[in-house]
């Protein structure tokens, strides 16, 4: 049994700041009061305890209040990704069986053609309130959110995250990161992804402020890191790089109270870690996914340089193993166990058990070193097998990103009559650089078979809503050639 | 499912300090290694997974290793109070059905006459090791410890504390107190009480050091508070007062890194709180019991002066209510709910359900103020009813303890032909003070009917193993008059 998060937090520390957005701030008592009003208005719109709705909106304060209101009202929330196409959203609405889609006015056209009942933010606000008894505690297996997996690796599945999953994740994290009552987490990740949503959960459990940015903005983020108004921030490699570039512009360092960048969504290039160190920005590399309610392993700040490239050790209540091996250094599929792991999917995958003998197979390839540190070598579906040799795109990307003229890089395999597959690199460059230069650069640093057979000079790389590189999209464009 | 605490901690942060005792220190890896060796020796002595043993020893490093070894070996541990009489211990051994009592050599005479198999610490050490597979994770309903209630209120009952209870308690606490990797908890409370044992649990969950003192020593404790070698300490009113007196001797204040005294085992006199403030010693008053695996409510440091005398608000995963009332300020029995609450007893009370509709009735009288802060007015069994008026001993004690010549005070009721019961005070004084002075002092500060009808000048007050005042013993001596 878990207490109703927001209600309990508003009781325990009513006057602490819960949320800041643009120029406004909310205490936990204010956030709770606002959410209770909206919850009553949802009830007046015939949304009842235990029903499943979908939610589509931007990452702003209004959205935060509505998210909490849905939880207070006992609803299961399908968090829709506002960057998806109409077709993709229609699929999720259909698959989830949501009886209503709650949508912000500016995004209403996205769902206008679907058969699902639409409820605009403005309609809710104009509704009367219908009082009801708000549950003071929740069963830990209550489904709080449903998120469709980003699709980096395959077909979208609606992943359930229970109250117990979210709590376990937040508590495991606090045992790793520590906790201070003055901590403030900068959220510039979308709330519809677990990376952003989990910041809201940690806020109510810890009693800490969230500084919410509607969109990632490198200048604004760098300012917050520099002026001490935030102590933690969640990033992916791309956004980390952009914040670092901002700080580098005027040679400023992070404020002494800034504690860490939690960097997820794939490995952080070693070059970035070195630059971050110079700027006094501690970077904690983390490994997690929608199915594990965010972090499952995180590298301690004190190990950042000694174990560069590692995703760290599992968090306290989590366990990680490599399939079919206990030998340090031996690569294989990463398996995860713990109370943060989803109990399963909804919709057409609802009968699929995500676990094998209690363990979640991640589809990712990695190894544990002799001290038990996890290294994610690559997403299994991205593996390039060339002449019988395994090639991991991340290894090539790590080399290229350190090149002074390369801003972004993504590598995938291209079918090849002789070798089966060969690596191809997509690069965003600055200045004047030729393919021959890059090949020469790689030849100095990589085994011959790992050197990309060709380079594509592009303006940007395909990324998902949380800025994670979509190698699958690279692969698709290569396959069309 | 909960990971094996010590094993997981030794994997995650092997080189962090786990324990210091006298001049020695142990890292988590060393503590784990030592405990594994002892666990194998326990196994060689035919102690198997799931069996129940009793443990009797002093609060030293050897005891800590044996406690962890018992957990690794999958044993349920009946923690015996080394300050009890032979008769009391014989009762607990019989009631618990422990198949073996593991006893330190110096305490072996205490159990020599019982029919239970005795296993000396020295015998274990001399044993060969028998290897076995140590469980990597535990079910959360596994019983870790059994502690007989201190008996302040009644007949001793063996209270079960499961892995889930201990974990819930430690996690609730961290959300209230915060967590820093450099925190060090001074343990001068007996390990056989939940106040001391819970410090060991928090240490392995948090990855923090315990500085263990075999016995409470005011000079040593004050030194640690002053020199910054500890950041937190658990105390009761009596030991708090002694530490404060030491600090007052040379007008020294607590080290700037010292964060808090967690003060349990009954209300802290307001006078002590004021003195602590002068000495820059933050005091967090807490309310808890064996049945709630230590803290269930704790007063935040920031509320210490504003809410003097309060035990604070429940910890995050806990809920507190007053029986049969929701009116702020109205007194009644305190009820507690949460995953830190014991599932029940062993032995002759094993059939007794400790809960009423999911709530634990505590037998204590208290109220919640309009902001939801808990005030414990008194132990229900200590209530003095005089001429129809309720008198709470703690109120009288709070007045008397502020008297410059009073060192310790305890109040109980004495049967009276006219009024039913009248209050009587037991005092430990310094200097020359007469009963008439004390009566006059009280008359100035208390309603007439609350003024003690007589004073007993004594050298010490009856206290239990954790220095908690035993008003029941005062009452017994008064009843014999």
């Amino acid at each position: 049994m878990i207490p109703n998060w927001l209600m309990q937090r508003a009781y325990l520390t009513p006057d602490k700041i819960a949320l800041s957005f643009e120029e406004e701030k909310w205490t936990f008592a204010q956030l709770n009061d606002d959410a209770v009003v909206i919850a009553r208005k949802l009830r007046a719109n015939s949304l009842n305890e235990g029903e499943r709705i979908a939610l589509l909106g931007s990452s702003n304060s209004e959205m935060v209040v509505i998210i909490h209101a849905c939880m207070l009202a006992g609803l299961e929330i399908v968090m829709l990704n506002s960057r998806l196409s109409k077709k993709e959203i229609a699929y999720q609405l259909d698959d989830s069986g949501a009886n209503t889609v709650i949508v912000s006015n500016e995004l209403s056209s996205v769902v206008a053609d679907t058969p699902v009942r639409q409820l605009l933010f403005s309609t809710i606000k104009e509704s009367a309130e219908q009082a009801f008894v708000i549950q003071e505690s929740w069963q830990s297996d209550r489904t709080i959110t449903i998120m469709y997996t980003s699709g980096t690796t395959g077909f979208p599945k609606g992943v359930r995250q229970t109250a117990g999953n979210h709590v376990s994740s937040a508590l495991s994290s606090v045992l790793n990161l520590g906790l201070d009552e003055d901590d403030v987490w900068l959220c510039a990740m979308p709330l519809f992804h677990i990376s952003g949503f989990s910041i809201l959960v940690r806020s109510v459990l810890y009693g800490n402020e969230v500084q919410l940015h509607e969109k990632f903005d490198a200048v604004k983020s760098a300012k917050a890191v520099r002026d001490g108004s935030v102590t933690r921030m969640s990033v992916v490699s791309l956004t980390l790089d952009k914040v670092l570039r901002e700080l580098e512009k005027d040679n400023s360092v992070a404020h002494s109270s800034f504690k860490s960048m939690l960097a997820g969504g794939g490995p952080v290039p070693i070059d970035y870690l070195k630059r971050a160190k110079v700027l006094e920005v501690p970077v904690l590399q983390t490994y997690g996914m929608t199915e594990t309610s965010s972090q499952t392993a995180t590298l301690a700040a004190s190990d950042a340089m000694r174990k560069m490239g590692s995703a760290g050790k599992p968090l306290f209540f989590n366990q990680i193993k490599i399939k079919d091996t206990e030998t340090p250094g031996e690569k294989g599929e990463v398996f995860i166990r713990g109370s943060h792991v989803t109990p399963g999917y909804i919709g057409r995958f609802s009968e699929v058990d995500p676990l094998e003998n209690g363990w979640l197979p991640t589809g990712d390839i990695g190894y544990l070193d002799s001290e038990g540190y996890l290294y994610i070598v690559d997403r299994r579906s991205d593996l390039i097998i060339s002449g019988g040799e395994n090639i991991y795109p991340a290894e090539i990307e790590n080399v290229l990103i350190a090149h002074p003229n390369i801003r972004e890089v993504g590598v995938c395999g291209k079918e090849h009559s002789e070798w089966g597959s060969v690596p191809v690199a997509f690069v965003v460059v600055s200045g004047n650089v030729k393919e021959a230069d890059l090949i020469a650069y790689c030849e100095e640093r990589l085994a011959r078979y790992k050197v990309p057979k060709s380079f594509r000079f592009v303006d940007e790389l395909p990324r998902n809503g949380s800025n994670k590189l979509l190698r699958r999209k690279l692969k698709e464009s290569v396959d069309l050639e």
Side-chain angles (χ1 to χ4, degrees), chain A residues 235-251:
Chain A
V235 291
V236 294
S237 292
L238 187 84
T239 52
L240 172 62
D241 176 45
K242 289 183 174 174
V243 174
L244 297 179
R245 281 176 195 277
E246 277 306 313
L247 294 173
E248 282 161 348
K249 275 185 187 167
D250 55 0
N251 287 313

Side-chain angles (χ1 to χ4, degrees), chain A residues 285-298:
Chain A
Q285 291 201 81
T286 182
Y287 170 63
M289 59 203 72
T290 307
E291 289 87 341
T292 63
S293 303
S294 85
Q295 305 168 72
T296 198
T298 299

